[in-house]
Amino acid sequence: MAEPENLFQTQSVADRLQAEALIVDVDGFEGPLDLLLTLSRTQKVDLRKISVLQLAEQYLAFVERAKALRIELAADYLVMAAWLAFLKSRLLLPPDPEAEGPSAEDMAAHLAFQLERLQAMRESAAQLMARDRLGRDTFVRGVSEEVARVRKITYTASLMELMQAYARIRTRDEFRPYAFDRTNVFTMEEALDRMRGLIGFAGDWSELTTFLPDGWASDPKRRRSATAATFAASLEMAKQGQIEIRQSDTFQPISIRKKT
Amino acid sequence: MSDEPEVTDEKEQTLFAAPPIAEQERMVEAILFASAEPVTIREMEERMPHGCDPAEALVHLRKRYEGRGVRVVKVGEAWAVRTAPDLAFLMQKETVEERKLSRAAIETLAIIAYHQPVTRAEIEEIRGVAVSRGTIDQLLEMEWIRFGRRRMTPGRPVTFVVTQGFLDHFSLESARDLPGLKELRAAGLLDSRPLPGASSDEDDEDEAQTGQSELFED
Amino acid sequence: MSDEPEVTDEKEQTLFAAPPIAEQERMVEAILFASAEPVTIREMEERMPHGCDPAEALVHLRKRYEGRGVRVVKVGEAWAVRTAPDLAFLMQKETVEERKLSRAAIETLAIIAYHQPVTRAEIEEIRGVAVSRGTIDQLLEMEWIRFGRRRMTPGRPVTFVVTQGFLDHFSLESARDLPGLKELRAAGLLDSRPLPGASSDEDDEDEAQTGQSELFED
């Protein structure tokens, strides 16, 4: 591994490629912790004995280099740089007994822990991937038999349903579908048609009853329907300004005439 | 590596000797297990180390699986592992699904319960519609109805009666315990009052009762 | 089966007795051979005749296949038959080309396996970098991870845990058998120590610890 100062000025192609790979990583997804872990390897010591101060200096030097080379660093690399710069100053200065918060040593220990943990996970991932893998080292049954789902349907009914069904059948004849009786109904549309035809001939006041159609005056049911329809039609025509309506007193005959 | 001839001999022998037959048997076992298709002896030979004799290994393997839950079987010119035929029942899983009886079925059932023994023609007359073969079959299959005595009328039609299973399901001691129309109405089980003037159902009622009492006298 | 065996008469015993254990072993053998997926004891029980004890049958069956070309393996709560790893060289034909996992995906998977149940924020804290949506999606799609219980902390973040498919793929009986797990735990490397001074996620912390110990303690 190249010394960090040399990362950007190495001569050999291999070193340059390695340096580039690192830069790509910086640009990409591995993050500042990954960079720190990579840099820590230059110390060639157990991660537990690592000099965080030295590591911070290495990181800051790296970031300076990157800046000089106008390499755009992602925000989290700069955040880490700021934090390491802070940590570095705290590590170099004598501890301030008044200071709040964690000591520089605690912070450094935590960073070392993070690096060690990440390293441990990397190693575990490698061990995991090296295990006997299904489809590579071990194999499943080539002809698996589907478990046939035998669907058994049971039907159920309650006593209530049984009795209601029986009652329904036995009382079926008591009902017939409701049908509206249209033979004895004179509609308002019919009345309107009739009135429009007749009103031209009624220049003077005529009683409304005289407008009832033939054959609808005798049977009470038919007379009621025709009277109602004719009255409604006359109201409609009055509204339209075609006729005038007159009634001398309550319950007196209603008369109409064409409006002039 | 070593120049000494006797060592070379030994080495060569171990290098080129086929694996022991027990090891070959393991190999055949793994191959047959993992293959989607039956495997021919030739194919096994191609996949196994030089000098192996899959045919012989198969003899051993086949014996090993005799009487087991799976067997080594010959399929045409090839070999495969298959479930023992007597265990085929394990390859299915029964799921029970409960469904409501159709309206046609419950009406038919009700008529049989109230009028038993009743012929198909009588059911149709009461329901006012034809009774499908499937409905009767379904009720027979559920063992809620069964065939009764043939009617001593022309054509000697079969009759249907309800079963003990039916009584058990509906918690009835006997079909006679089914309430009559009047009681159903009194209990508010009929949504309707008879139309004024519509022929009273008293007769109906009586008929049903008569029918029933006739039926149950044995 | 019966609480009072002495009362049970002989007839009942023959009627309701489970098949002999040798027979049950055959059944388990057939079921496991027929399935590519691991089968749980419960599923076996559902398919086998009443009164069978597949767990006991499995003990026998597992022993029977020791050193054979195929093995009976435990996968989480389920069981499966798999070829012996030393015979992988015979299986070139069967090898399925696997989608290559990115370094980020492999690390994320390892972190989930060793730290489960673990939140996305915790994964990110360990890796020191954001976990891309695609990485989690890929692992979910491969059915190597699934959602665990939500963490009872503000925001109720979802957690991730590994699946039976993960155990099956990596020949693990349980997540406890992950390589080096004990050493990592002893070294405190599975703790999610907060940054000193950053007290905001203390609660998270406690929960995470509990989760892990719960999961891995026996």
Side-chain angles (χ1 to χ4, degrees), chain C residues 62-194:
Chain C
R62 197 177 198 188
K63 204 159 214 158
R64 182 182 295 273
Y65 278 95
E66 261 169 26
R68 309 281 324 138
V70 294
R71 304 181 311 172
V72 177
V73 296
K74 190 172 185 214
V75 182
E77 295 305 305
W79 294 81
V81 179
R82 300 285 179 250
T83 60
D86 66 305
L87 299 177
F89 70 94
L90 293 167
M91 303 299 164
Q92 256 54 36
K93 251 182 89 175
E94 260 65 61
T95 314
V96 265
E97 204 44 57
E98 194 182 296
R99 231 191 329 165
K100 219 158 168 35
L101 278 179
S102 68
R103 181 173 159 184
I106 291 169
E107 279 182 23
T108 303
L109 179 67
I111 291 168
I112 293 171
Y114 282 85
H115 291 260
Q116 66 174 345
V118 65
T119 66
R120 192 194 187 105
E122 288 161 354
I123 298 169
E124 293 184 341
E125 143 124 42
I126 294 169
R127 291 199 68 230
V129 71
V131 175
S132 83
R133 172 93 219 168
T135 301
I136 295 280
D137 283 351
Q138 189 186 12
L139 294 174
L140 283 170
E141 206 177 282
M142 294 174 84
E143 298 187 347
W144 280 358
I145 66 167
R146 64 177 176 81
F147 293 108
R149 267 182 296 175
R150 282 184 184 275
R151 194 56 66 72
M152 285 307 172
T153 49
R156 294 175 39 79
V158 296
T159 62
F160 297 99
V161 294
V162 292
T163 62
Q164 178 181 284
F166 167 87
L167 298 177
D168 195 14
H169 185 92
F170 292 101
S171 308
L172 292 163
E173 279 201 16
S174 81
R176 278 184 282 265
D177 299 322
L178 284 164
L181 183 75
K182 228 180 265 171
E183 293 77 6
L184 287 174
R185 198 178 320 128
L189 289 171
L190 298 184
D191 306 349
S192 58
R193 267 183 232 164

Side-chain angles (χ1 to χ4, degrees), chain B residues 77-99:
Chain B
E77 287 307 301
W79 294 84
V81 181
R82 294 276 184 264
T83 308
D86 66 309
L87 297 179
F89 73 93
L90 292 169
M91 298 307 140
Q92 34 181 263
K93 194 172 170 186
E94 201 173 77
T95 51
V96 178
E97 200 176 288
E98 204 166 76
R99 284 197 201 162

Side-chain angles (χ1 to χ4, degrees), chain B residues 118-139:
Chain B
V118 64
T119 66
R120 186 190 186 120
E122 288 161 350
I123 297 169
E124 292 185 340
E125 201 193 312
I126 296 167
R127 271 197 79 212
V129 280
V131 174
S132 81
R133 171 92 220 168
T135 302
I136 296 279
D137 283 349
Q138 187 190 3
L139 293 172

